[in-house]
Amino acid sequence: MDTLEATMEVKILGDEVLRAQAQNVVEVDEQIKALIKEMFITMEEERGIGLAAPQIGRSIRLFVCHADKDKQRVFINPELLSTSEELSDYEEGCLSIPGLYADIKRPRDIKVQAYNEKGRPFTLEASGLLARVIQHELDHLNGKLFIDHIPDMKRTRLVEQWEKARKV
């Protein structure tokens, strides 16, 4: 099978892996490097700008992103070091909840520490869309979805509408 044509199955809201706390990656070996390549392919085929390992059924602390004109980035065992007090509001969606979008408030600026695809540590200060994508994907590693940032009643209504639309 040609790996460039292979797409991983993206898990959808309701799959328990999306609500699990992901485990640290122990070693950046050839399997992890191959997984990263497949995740980038899947993310791009699905027209996403970020993809976390739990979204493809792997409960490990790893995500990839390609936000805006930024380069492709890999985050292994990421930790959020700081966030700005200033928040920004932006419409978010998720490959694991296709077709559902909502305005979400998140810190505008962040500082994150992680390992790259070569297993080397790095620290990154990000703002705007990149900061938002990092926070969104970090949530996935903690068993949280963007809809968890919506007030309960509104979230319930949106999810019910989404589930109804999927059955049609």
Side-chain angles (χ1 to χ4, degrees):
M1 172 190 271
D2 184 0
T3 50
L4 294 177
E5 295 176 11
T7 302
M8 299 171 155
E9 176 191 351
V10 175
K11 303 300 179 186
I12 302 298
L13 178 64
D15 193 304
E16 60 188 46
V17 72
L18 295 174
R19 293 301 190 172
Q21 179 76 28
Q23 301 301 308
N24 276 337
V25 172
V26 178
E27 180 184 2
V28 181
D29 57 16
E30 293 308 312
Q31 278 187 310
I32 293 295
K33 290 176 182 177
L35 178 65
I36 289 166
K37 287 178 185 172
E38 291 296 321
M39 287 176 67
F40 273 118
I41 292 166
T42 300
M43 179 186 72
E44 290 179 12
E45 286 180 352
E46 296 289 329
R47 294 191 164 108
I49 57 175
L51 183 67
Q55 291 181 274
I56 46 98
R58 299 286 307 274
S59 193
I60 57 174
R61 297 188 68 76
L62 161 66
F63 69 84
V64 299
C65 70
H66 189 190
D68 203 17
K69 294 178 180 155
D70 195 51
K71 65 180 185 174
Q72 289 187 331
R73 295 183 183 268
V74 175
F75 293 80
I76 299 170
N77 299 338
E79 291 181 45
L80 200 55
L81 300 177
S82 64
T83 60
S84 65
E85 288 185 27
E86 186 175 346
L87 302 176
S88 67
D89 205 14
Y90 192 84
E91 185 179 67
E92 288 188 31
C94 182
L95 295 177
S96 292
I97 318 173
L100 192 145
Y101 302 92
D103 287 335
I104 305 296
K105 283 190 189 318
R106 292 191 187 266
R108 189 191 71 187
D109 306 304
I110 64 164
K111 186 174 184 180
V112 65
Q113 178 179 297
Y115 293 88
N116 66 17
E117 66 278 5
K118 294 177 181 168
R120 294 194 183 114
F122 69 93
T123 301
L124 174 70
E125 291 184 21
S127 61
L129 182 61
L130 180 58
R132 178 165 298 276
V133 172
I134 291 169
Q135 291 172 83
H136 178 109
E137 301 308 327
L138 257 169
D139 276 353
H140 278 298
L141 305 184
N142 296 320
K144 196 170 182 179
L145 299 171
F146 84 96
I147 58 174
D148 297 335
H149 295 279
I150 302 171
D152 290 346
M153 287 179 62
K154 184 177 181 182
R155 178 177 59 241
T156 300
R157 189 180 75 248
L158 284 172
V159 170
E160 285 172 355
Q161 290 171 350
W162 176 79
E163 287 172 338
K164 187 177 179 181
R166 286 189 55 84
K167 290 178 183 173
V168 173

